[in-house]
Structures are given as structure tokens and as C-alpha cells.
Amino acid sequence: MKISLSWLQDYIYLPETAEQISGLLTGCGLEVENIEKTQRIPGGLEGLVVGQVLTCTQHPNAERLSLTTVDVGAAEPLHIVCGAPNVAAGQKVIIALIGATLYPKEGDPFKIKKSKIRGELSEGMICAEDEIGLGESHAGIMVLDTPLPNGTPASKYFNLQDEIVFEIGLTPNRADAASHYGTARDLKALLNRQAKLPDVASVIGNSSGKGVGITIEDAAGCPRYAGVSISGVTVGASPEWLQERLRSIGVGPVNNVVDVTNYVLHSIGHPLHAFDRSKIKGDQIIVKYMPEGTAFTTLDKTERKLKAHNLMICDAEEPLAIAGVFGGLDSGISAATSEIFIESAYFNPVTVRKSSQSLGIKTDSSFRFERGADPDMPVIALKLAAKLITEIAGGEISSAFNDVYPEPITPAVIKADYNKLTRLIGKDLSQETINQILGSLDIQVVPEETFGHDGFAETFTATVPPFRVDVTRPADLAEEVMRIYGFNNIDINETLGSAFLAEFPETDTEAIRNKIGDMLSAKGFSEIINNSLTNANFAGLSQTLNPEQNVLILNRLSEDLGAMRQTLLFGALQTMLHNINRKRDTLNLFEFGKTYRKADGKYSESNRLALFITGSKQAENWQRKPEKTDYFVLAEAVQVLLQKLGFTNFSAEKADNDLFEYAQNLVMNKRAIVTIGLVSQRITKAFEIKQPVFFADIDWDYLMKKYNPSLKYSEISRFPEVRRDLSLVLDKKVSFAEIEKLARQTEKKLLRDLNVFDVFEGPQIGADKKSYSVSFILQDNSQTLTDTITGSIMQRLQDAFERELGAVVRK
């Protein structure tokens, strides 16, 4: 959600800086993710000042040019050659000084330089409005009527300021804050100031005019529906101020009627819809359901088949709009529209959510209705829209404000205990402070006549306005107090304790997780935390994952967050793409998280640890060129991690998993504890990632189950190790893991370690062959190994390799 600072200041006085406001909003739960600063006019009129033409004479060498001297507040006037026909002595004008860059409405920007024009010195430029991006006219220079002194920056004359826009990560429960006025309400509580709605008291309807009749057939789906007619409207482009307001928050202008409905939506948070009244048959609006499969064409020119549960806005003959979601093509506003009917309603959130999801339509309107709009706002929004439309598009209100509200929605009432509230808060706040904070949030507090020993009321009743759909219980009241009082202002008690119902397990998994996180951070990995909700379609990218095993969200807010994740991979790929698009293409990441599946009607979740690497092995520097990271970098990190946890007795096997181009399983007790490999190019391509990504998926639950916190020490052997090497020629399909497994089965007592230190392939040994040079470390803790013993061991190993693997030992 984007909030414009200048727009926000229409509703509350804010002398604070953008950074201070950002901190206040973030502290109260409206997290500001970004602050954008944009210029209403390119260049911000930098280098342009107000000046006065002192003299104006004919150019001696050009009939259409004038020689002027201009006072710009400097010690000496400037000499400027001007080609405008309307330039004259005594005028106040806009001057572009030498060095200023102009951004005209048409053409490329250009810089003002000191020059000679037809032999005469020119030290600047007297500007027309199109030359500085303020308008379209090029009939002549701009002539100002202002008492401002010469030399005043042009940006001050035009009251031109940078537009500051806050990008807020709005949580689903805060539908009340999804507007500029809604945001102002929180700032009102934080700053103890007044926040005012637009004044619409003077907007009255025409009781003698004929209006559109309204019938609600389903009051549960549509508790309130209001409307008004406006005639004599001229549909066209909106004024510049309105277009700028909408553009500042990323909304494109359409026409003056539609722009007003969007402006009201983002101003006070209530969606509206405008119909061409001439298209409303029978002058009747009927809110009802249509038969299953009814065809309906929406404003985006897409024909949709309606579901039986899609609540519709209809006229006497056919549907006109999907209630709370999207309008219809035939009844929309066009250039020929002269009479309109504006709808302002309150729809049941569940009804709108079902329609939005079943039809696959997400709009600004459905976003607010399905989270819970304010049922007290429809008439206010309607009057504000009518006022603006008549001012901008002409016409007059031609009917009464028809408001059908059969069963008014009453505020929620919560009974709470002051003492319990302060325990939840974690600080002993006074009743006065609690009452003041809740009151500043428009929550009415009435202490009850149940007084404690100290003479203060112990309980109270809170009446919550309907727009706060997320405040329903005492714990919610505690949260409201905390976010306005300030979470940072609540001290951590030195005797802080925690009650629990069951004993903690012997293994402190959180401590182990922190230890592993510290280790990975020390190795250059960064921790990420991704949403457990993901796109259900991701499971279809791999046969290893089964879309039928998706745990689907019944009341999902969007298709992108429609299922619980089956793997940590896809969230990490989205994180990587975000960073790669911002020129951070070398990434070492790790994530602890849960995955979820449904099988045979049963739901399961498991804790996983995932490691991801992509890009270069190390940062570029003057000593060495950057090298691309590879499988072995990640494999080494995984082995160090397992050793840190005390797991050393595992083997490697080839993994059959189409999430990867190639992969290995690290197996312990016949169970794969880690799968590590190169992510399939088919999957990285689906995420628009063009560089290799390596991924390790670790079964954290199993590791914690088998983790043994007790340390085992053994005496360092007094007897030396012995190294022996073998060079084995094998079929290409034989892996080193098979060599290692066979070696440890053949010599279980004295073989301490083995390692491949060279691999060779070439025509010298055969097209389907490869050569492994393997070192074997032998050691006996009770005696020094003799040549006889080591020779016997190596012979047994050689025989086993030749017999089981078809190896040929190179001499």
C-alpha cells in the first residue's frame, strides 16, 4: 500500500520529517518498507528563478528576436536574447539560469549555456510553460503576477515540492488503515492530534428529482447499499492535481468520474462504483444472485461464467457489476455518458472473498471489502464523491441520497479486566493511560462499578467501532495499547519467567539451531525467512512434489499465497531473484522452516534446514579473478555442519529427484538426511534465474531426533598413521561413494579415512573408463603398523575392488 505524505497532510497536521513519520508508523504496526521521493516535474525546476524584464529592444540582426536585460536578484542584470512575441519591459517572468537543465513537454532535456545568438550575448532563457514541463502552451513566455522578490526559486513560486510516498506492508488484519485517512487515525493516536474527515455537511440531495430504486434481496451479503444520481456530467480528463495524486501512489488516471471514485477509495478507504445511468434498465438496482453459469462481461472485456454464490448488482433485466469486486463493461462510464449513478455499499467480507477467488479477480475494491470495510462510511464516501464530481465534471446532484440499511451493524462490545490487561502488556500502566490510548483509537471505554481495594475500577467495557474488525477480545485491546504506547517502551523485567505445562525436552533444539546459524553466518551465509504460504502451482514444477499433497488455504487472500509450502526451495528462489535483479548475484543463504503435506487425508509438517548458493566463490579482488561457485562448496559446508552436530557416519548415494539436474543423498541408518545438488534449469528458468543455483535440503527433525548432546572423547593414538595409494581404472558409472562403501566394509578396524586426490579420463584408458587415485589412511591404536600388515590390508582392498567393481589397478 502506498501513502502520499502531501495527501496524508490533508487529514492531519504533520510537521515531522518523512523519516520521523516512517518510524512512528512502523512502530505502531504499519511497517514502512520504503520511502520514495519523486518530483512532480522532472528536474524540480532547479536553476530556475523569478526575474523581471528591465529593458526590451529589437535585436539588430534578427527581426523576430528581442534583446532584454533581466533582474534576477544578482549584482548585475542578465542579458538574454528572447524570441517570444509577448516579452515586454516590466514583466515578471521565469528565468532559466546558465547551468540549469530544462525538461520540456516534448523533446529531450537540454542544458542552458552562455552563448551568442545572431551575434548578441545571451546569459539565460526566459521560459514558456511547455519548456519547463508545466503545460502545453508555447504561445509565449509565462508572465507572472507575484510580489515575490527577483531571484526567488521558481519551485517556491509554484509551491513545488518533492512528492514523498510511504510504501507500507499492510497486514491482512488492518483493513481499517488501507487509506490515507485510516493511516491518519493511527498517527492521531500516536501524536495526540486531531484527524479530520473531509467536510461533506453541505452536500445535500435533490429530494424532488427521480432517483434509482434500490432493492436488496440478500441483506446478509449486502447489509447496506446507498446511491445517488448526478446529471449533466461532462466526462473527460481529470485536472492535473487529481491526476498527480493518483499517479503518486501508482494509480493511472482514467477519466474525471472514475478518477474521483479512485480518489475517494484511497482517501477514506471506501470503494465506490459509477454506472452510466442511461444503461440501468427500469431505473432499478437489485442486489441479488444470478443462476450458475450466467455469462457476464467485465470492464476488462473478459466474459466470465458466474457462480451461484456470486452476489451481483443488477438492474431490472440483467447484471451490471460483481458486488464489491468489478464492474460490467456495458454499464461503465464512457465519453458519451452524461448522467451517472454512484454506488456506495457495504458488502459481507465472506461474500466478496468467495466471488473474488472463484472468478480469479483481485481489485482495490475487493481487497478492502474482503478484509472488512467500514459500514458507517458509505454515505460519507458517496457525498464526497458527489461533491468532487460536480466540481470537476460539472452537472448537479439530481436525486436524493438513497440509503437502504435494513439492519444496522452495531459496534462490538468487549468486557475486559485492567489487571489482566496490564499482565498481557507486561507493564503496569495506569487506568488513565489505558483509557486515553483506547479513546484516541475511537474505542469508547466505560469503567464498571466493580472497585478494588485501591478505589479504582477493576473492569471496563470497551465499545469498538465497526471499522476495527480485528479488535474482538481483551488480548486485542492489549495489543492496541501496546502498539500506541510503544513496544520499545515496555521494559524487560529482570525476573522475567515463563510458565509451561510440560517439561522441556533434554535436547534444546533452539540452542542447537542458534549454534548452527552462528556457524553458517561465520562461513558467509545469510539467514532468510520466507512465507510458509506459497503458490499452489509451484508443486507442479516437479514430479517429486505432488500437487495433490498441497495443503490448501480455504480463505486465501491471493492465488500467490494459496497453499502451504512443500519445500523451502521456491521461496528461496524468489528471494534470490529479488536480490539478483538488484545486482546482488553472489548469494549464500540458509533458512530454517517448516514444510507441509497432505497424504491419505492426513496432514503433516516437518522442520527442514535448507542451504543455497549461487554466483561466485569469493568476492572479486586484485589478487585473483572470481570463480563460479560449485557443488563442492555447498557439499563442504554441509559436511562441516553435520560434523558440528556430531554426525560423521553417513554415506553418499545418487539421488533420483527431478528438483535437481544432479544430486546426492547423504544417508544415515538407511535414511536420506540430506539431499544436495544443482537445481534443475527447468525450475530456475521458471523463476527467471539465469545462473546456477545449488541447494541442500536437510531433514532437521531427524537430525534433532538422533542428536546426542553428550561428547565422546578418545585418546590421541601414540602410534603413527600409514598412507597407501591405489590408482583404480573403473567404468565411468562407478562412483567414489561405491569405492568408499566397499572399502569400509572390507576393512572395518584399521581404515581411518580415504580420499580421492586425482581423477583422469582419456583415450589412454578407454572411452568408457576413468581413473581414480585414492589415498587410504591406516592406523592401529595399539601398535605400529608393519609393512606386512599394511600390505595384507591393501591386497584385500585391491581384491575387493577388482572383484566387486571390476577395477584394474594401475601400477
Side-chain angles (χ1 to χ4, degrees):
M1 179 183 74
K2 291 188 175 183
I3 295 294
S4 160
L5 177 56
S6 62
W7 197 340
L8 187 62
Q9 288 169 330
D10 287 350
Y11 306 108
I12 185 171
Y13 174 64
L14 290 174
E16 288 80 7
T17 65
E19 289 70 24
Q20 289 172 325
I21 295 169
S22 172
L24 289 168
L25 291 174
T26 299
C28 77
L30 302 180
E31 182 181 358
V32 177
E33 298 176 340
N34 189 31
I35 301 177
E36 298 177 3
K37 293 185 179 181
T38 59
Q39 295 175 323
R40 288 169 49 195
I41 296 175
L45 302 185
E46 186 175 353
L48 276 70
V49 299
V50 173
Q52 185 170 16
V53 180
L54 301 178
T55 63
C56 179
T57 59
Q58 175 69 42
H59 192 295
N61 303 318
E63 183 180 340
R64 296 186 179 181
L65 297 180
S66 300
L67 300 180
T68 68
T69 57
V70 182
D71 179 10
V72 293
E76 297 291 336
L78 301 180
H79 296 271
I80 298 176
V81 176
C82 180
N86 64 327
V87 63
Q91 293 174 334
K92 286 271 194 167
V93 291
I94 295 295
I95 304 298
L97 302 177
I98 293 172
T101 300
L102 299 188
Y103 297 82
K105 279 290 186 178
E106 295 184 4
D108 297 328
F110 61 92
K111 192 171 184 178
I112 302 298
K113 299 178 181 179
K114 185 176 182 180
S115 61
K116 282 194 174 184
I117 301 177
R118 302 294 291 271
E120 296 294 331
L121 177 66
S122 186
E123 300 174 299
M125 178 175 172
I126 307 176
C127 302
E129 65 177 39
D130 68 324
E131 293 168 333
I132 58 177
L134 282 175
E136 306 293 338
S137 174
H138 193 69
I141 59 171
M142 299 177 68
V143 180
L144 312 179
D145 181 13
T146 177
L148 290 174
N150 299 331
T152 301
S155 58
K156 182 176 181 180
Y157 171 78
F158 291 108
N159 194 25
L160 190 66
Q161 298 177 346
D162 288 347
E163 186 66 64
I164 296 174
V165 177
F166 302 106
E167 188 166 347
I168 295 175
L170 191 69
T171 53
N173 63 314
R174 291 302 309 277
D176 64 291
S179 67
H180 287 77
Y181 178 67
T183 304
R185 276 192 300 232
D186 269 6
L187 289 171
K188 173 193 75 169
L190 290 164
L191 298 168
N192 196 25
R193 293 184 191 149
Q194 292 297 315
K196 60 182 185 300
L197 273 169
D199 184 11
V200 294
S202 61
V203 182
I204 57 175
N206 183 354
S207 58
S208 62
K210 182 184 178 184
V212 174
I214 297 172
T215 302
I216 301 175
E217 291 190 0
D218 179 26
C222 177
R224 186 175 192 180
Y225 193 99
V228 71
S229 298
I230 302 176
S231 59
V233 171
T234 301
V235 177
S238 296
E240 190 65 25
W241 72 265
L242 179 53
Q243 294 191 40
E244 286 179 2
R245 278 275 166 99
L246 295 176
R247 287 194 194 101
S248 71
I249 59 170
V251 178
V254 180
N255 58 55
N256 46 16
V257 174
V258 175
D259 290 350
V260 166
T261 62
N262 285 332
Y263 176 79
V264 172
L265 166 69
H266 292 283
S267 288
I268 61 177
H270 199 81
L272 303 170
H273 186 69
F275 297 93
D276 185 329
R277 181 170 173 175
S278 67
K279 304 294 180 65
I280 301 177
K281 298 179 177 65
D283 257 356
Q284 286 290 317
I285 287 290
I286 305 170
V287 185
K288 63 179 181 179
Y289 297 97
M290 299 298 293
E292 180 87 18
T294 300
F296 179 69
T297 303
T298 47
L299 281 167
D300 59 358
K301 300 181 181 179
T302 301
E303 183 177 282
R304 305 174 190 274
K305 300 295 183 181
L306 299 178
K307 305 292 183 182
H309 62 256
N310 296 150
L311 186 64
M312 302 298 294
I313 310 302
C314 307
D315 60 18
E317 299 180 11
E318 59 187 3
L320 303 176
I322 305 166
V325 181
F326 210 15
L329 180 63
D330 294 339
S331 61
I333 302 299
S334 68
T337 300
S338 61
E339 189 173 10
I340 64 174
F341 173 76
I342 309 175
E343 160 196 289
S344 182
Y346 172 78
F347 299 109
N348 186 300
V350 175
T351 302
V352 175
R353 188 180 302 122
K354 285 182 177 179
S355 291
S356 176
Q357 290 181 355
S358 64
L359 297 172
I361 306 173
K362 296 295 180 182
T363 61
D364 283 340
S365 176
S366 68
F367 176 88
R368 286 156 178 81
F369 277 129
E370 67 186 23
R371 285 161 174 78
D374 183 359
D376 293 338
M377 193 62 77
V379 173
I380 297 173
L382 194 61
K383 288 188 173 184
L384 178 58
K387 176 183 178 182
L388 290 171
I389 288 174
T390 53
E391 290 175 354
I392 292 171
E396 60 181 4
I397 299 172
S398 55
S399 76
F401 286 91
N402 192 357
D403 181 18
V404 180
Y405 197 9
E407 295 183 17
I409 296 172
T410 58
V413 177
I414 304 171
K415 291 187 178 295
D417 185 298
Y418 283 111
N419 293 325
K420 291 181 180 178
L421 213 63
T422 55
R423 281 201 296 273
L424 285 172
I425 293 169
K427 188 169 184 175
D428 191 13
L429 300 180
S430 68
Q431 293 184 14
E432 181 182 1
T433 299
I434 292 173
N435 295 345
Q436 185 275 324
I437 290 175
L438 293 177
S440 69
L441 293 167
D442 301 321
I443 298 173
Q444 182 182 356
V445 175
V446 179
E448 296 185 347
E449 309 227 347
T450 52
F451 295 97
H453 66 278
D454 53 5
F456 289 97
E458 291 184 337
T459 60
F460 65 93
T461 299
T463 303
V464 183
F467 64 79
R468 288 309 304 271
V469 295
D470 59 319
V471 180
T472 59
R473 52 187 181 155
D476 297 328
L477 296 176
E479 182 184 359
E480 292 302 294
V481 173
M482 291 171 72
R483 70 185 187 85
I484 300 302
Y485 182 78
F487 290 100
N488 292 337
N489 295 325
I490 298 174
D491 303 324
I492 297 177
N493 197 313
E494 292 182 359
T495 59
L496 182 67
S498 176
F500 53 91
L501 299 177
E503 293 183 359
F504 287 113
E506 183 179 354
T507 301
D508 188 346
T509 56
E510 287 301 317
I512 299 169
R513 173 172 164 169
N514 289 338
K515 179 174 72 172
I516 295 302
D518 290 343
M519 185 211 78
L520 290 170
S521 295
K523 290 185 68 65
F525 284 78
S526 298
E527 184 172 12
I528 58 175
I529 302 175
N530 286 308
N531 200 333
S532 296
L533 299 176
T534 189
N535 192 318
N537 295 327
F538 286 165
L541 294 174
S542 166
Q543 294 181 1
T544 302
L545 306 176
N546 185 351
E548 297 296 323
Q549 294 184 351
N550 274 334
V551 178
L552 300 176
I553 305 301
L554 298 179
N555 61 338
R556 55 187 178 272
L557 298 177
S558 70
E559 292 303 320
D560 288 337
L561 302 174
M564 305 297 284
R565 62 188 176 191
Q566 289 194 45
T567 173
L568 303 183
L569 173 61
F570 301 130
L573 290 177
Q574 290 175 311
T575 298
M576 285 185 162
L577 178 63
H578 181 86
N579 281 273
I580 291 169
N581 286 343
R582 286 154 180 80
K583 308 303 181 184
R584 292 180 58 88
D585 55 1
T586 293
L587 301 165
N588 294 348
L589 308 174
F590 73 95
E591 179 176 12
F592 288 96
K594 289 185 176 181
T595 59
Y596 308 83
R597 291 199 180 191
K598 180 184 72 173
D600 301 325
K602 296 181 180 180
Y603 296 90
S604 64
E605 64 180 35
S606 62
N607 288 287
R608 317 294 293 187
L609 167 59
L611 275 62
F612 309 89
I613 63 172
T614 187
S616 302
K617 289 184 180 179
Q618 71 284 321
E620 183 177 6
N621 60 59
W622 63 273
Q623 291 178 309
R624 55 187 174 185
K625 295 181 180 179
E627 298 179 35
K628 294 296 183 183
T629 196
D630 56 31
Y631 168 90
F632 302 101
V633 173
L634 186 57
E636 186 267 342
V638 170
Q639 288 190 357
V640 171
L641 184 153
L642 293 175
Q643 290 170 2
K644 185 79 171 178
L645 293 172
F647 298 110
T648 56
N649 188 22
F650 54 84
S651 59
E653 296 178 357
K654 184 178 179 181
D656 183 15
N657 187 324
D658 71 345
L659 287 173
F660 300 90
E661 289 289 328
Y662 57 80
Q664 276 196 327
N665 288 331
L666 301 185
V667 179
M668 187 173 67
N669 300 328
K670 298 182 180 180
R671 175 171 178 149
I673 58 173
V674 182
T675 303
I676 176 174
L678 173 65
V679 177
S680 169
Q681 292 184 17
R682 173 176 45 80
I683 292 176
T684 54
K685 184 178 179 181
F687 285 82
E688 299 182 359
I689 295 176
K690 300 177 182 179
Q691 60 191 58
V693 176
F694 297 89
F695 164 42
D697 182 19
I698 301 172
D699 188 343
W700 187 253
D701 277 338
Y702 187 74
L703 293 184
M704 291 301 95
K705 180 180 178 182
K706 295 298 181 181
Y707 176 74
N708 185 354
S710 61
L711 295 177
K712 295 181 180 180
Y713 297 93
S714 59
E715 181 183 359
I716 296 176
S717 177
R718 295 176 294 161
F719 302 99
E721 296 176 343
V722 175
R723 170 173 167 161
R724 293 290 184 269
D725 298 342
L726 286 179
S727 185
L728 306 173
V729 178
L730 303 131
D731 289 340
K732 281 188 176 181
K733 63 181 180 180
V734 178
S735 66
F736 174 70
E738 293 176 87
I739 297 173
E740 181 180 19
K741 182 178 180 180
L742 181 57
R744 294 193 182 279
Q745 289 175 347
T746 303
E747 178 51 55
K748 298 179 180 180
K749 183 179 178 182
L750 301 181
L751 180 60
R752 296 288 178 261
D753 196 14
L754 69 161
N755 178 54
V756 58
F757 61 88
D758 188 33
V759 179
F760 175 75
E761 296 182 39
Q764 299 92 329
I765 59 173
D768 297 326
K769 300 292 184 179
K770 62 182 174 182
S771 173
Y772 278 137
S773 294
V774 184
S775 64
F776 299 84
I777 306 298
L778 307 172
Q779 187 179 44
D780 191 334
N781 292 333
S782 62
Q783 63 177 340
T784 299
L785 292 175
T786 64
D787 289 342
T788 302
I789 297 173
T790 56
S792 174
I793 294 171
M794 295 307 297
Q795 187 60 52
R796 290 203 312 275
L797 289 171
Q798 180 176 326
D799 292 343
F801 295 146
E802 292 174 343
R803 182 178 62 254
E804 300 294 336
L805 302 178
V808 174
V809 178
R810 298 176 67 190
K811 304 299 183 181

